[in-house]
């Protein structure tokens, strides 16, 4: 199963952090994972948002989506005390 982590990356805000992380995790690492495993990598756009949580006070964001290929793709991004962010993306 696909799983990607990025620890201590920097962004201007929580919304910038989750947008940046989603682009990198889904647009690069997930595509590479599918290609390396000889899986279809063209039909991976989101067709349904299952869950979205944004807590700007605690610095946490979660997005769970169903993709065209049937996968459930989830990202989580959270802020650290030093101003950096951590992110986790996975197919669940």
């Amino acid at each position: 199963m696909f799983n990607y982590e990025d620890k201590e990356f920097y962004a201007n805000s929580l919304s910038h952090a989750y947008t940046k992380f989603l682009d990198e995790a889904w647009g690069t690492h997930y595509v590479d994972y599918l290609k390396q495993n000889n899986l279809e990598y063209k039909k991976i756009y989101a067709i349904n948002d299952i869950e979205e949580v944004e807590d700007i006070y605690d610095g946490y964001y979660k997005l769970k989506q169903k993709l065209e290929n049937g996968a459930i793709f989830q990202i989580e991004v959270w802020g650290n005390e030093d101003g950096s962010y951590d992110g986790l993306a996975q197919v669940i």
Side-chain angles (χ1 to χ4, degrees):
M1 281 291 196
F2 173 76
N3 187 328
Y4 171 70
E5 288 183 78
D6 189 357
K7 295 186 178 193
E8 295 187 48
F9 67 93
Y10 290 90
N12 298 330
S13 64
L14 179 61
S15 63
H16 179 230
Y18 66 71
T19 301
K20 180 179 178 178
F21 183 73
L22 178 61
D23 286 347
E24 182 180 330
W26 171 79
T28 301
H29 293 282
Y30 185 55
V31 170
D32 289 347
Y33 167 83
L34 294 172
K35 286 180 180 179
Q36 290 169 0
N37 289 286
N38 295 317
L39 300 170
E40 175 67 47
Y41 61 91
K42 294 181 182 178
K43 294 184 178 182
I44 62 167
Y45 290 102
I47 58 172
N48 186 26
D49 287 348
I50 298 170
E51 179 182 13
E52 185 173 26
V53 175
E54 181 175 9
D55 187 337
I56 58 172
Y57 298 107
D58 288 336
Y60 176 78
Y61 179 80
K62 176 180 177 180
L63 176 64
K64 188 185 300 184
Q65 298 178 312
K66 183 171 185 174
L67 306 182
E68 288 176 303
N69 65 5
I72 304 297
F73 190 85
Q74 176 177 291
I75 69 160
E76 293 178 90
V77 174
W78 56 95
N80 299 311
E81 290 182 12
D82 67 358
S84 68
Y85 292 89
D86 288 355
L88 172 64
Q90 57 190 338
V91 170
I92 54 173

